[in-house]
Amino acid sequence: MTVGEWLDSRTPRPPRAIEERMSQVLGADSLRLDAREAAEACLRASEGLAAALLRGDLTSRATALDLLTADALMTYAFEAASGWPAELVPRAEAAMRRIAALGAA
């Protein structure tokens, strides 16, 4: 199963606009990765989108779709990570450091 197939199997499905934007942000290469890479792929995509929004000071209603997409990707990152409970706390701590660093940049 690929990351794309794993995302397609999630229920309930996200709104179509968010689903399409997630695919764009993840990109074809990440969507083809093995589903075991879903947590990191989604985290990386969420982080990249959030960084782009912050760099451009793009946090208004006009960018709501991207803000919602970044949030959805982060949610899916941790849904995927829940398959490895022993790694969840270190993964969450690392993710928090990565996200916090975005605000410092």
Side-chain angles (χ1 to χ4, degrees):
M1 177 180 286
T2 66
V3 169
E5 291 166 338
W6 181 83
L7 285 169
D8 287 343
S9 73
R10 303 297 88 201
T11 57
R13 294 186 70 92
R16 185 173 183 83
I18 293 174
E19 190 172 47
E20 289 172 359
R21 187 66 178 125
M22 283 192 313
S23 292
Q24 292 169 350
V25 172
L26 279 161
D29 289 343
S30 289
L31 290 170
R32 285 192 296 263
L33 291 171
D34 188 278
R36 291 175 290 200
E37 302 296 323
E40 182 57 29
C42 289
L43 176 59
R44 190 174 46 248
S46 177
E47 181 182 9
L49 184 53
L53 290 167
L54 290 169
R55 272 193 311 274
D57 196 25
L58 303 172
T59 55
S60 69
R61 284 185 180 208
T63 59
L65 177 59
D66 280 348
L67 292 168
L68 291 168
T69 299
D71 178 66
L73 285 163
M74 186 63 65
T75 299
Y76 284 127
F78 281 93
E79 183 175 337
S82 70
W84 295 270
E87 298 174 20
L88 200 51
V89 170
R91 184 183 298 271
E93 290 170 347
M96 285 189 296
R97 283 191 298 277
R98 288 166 62 174
I99 294 164
L102 297 176

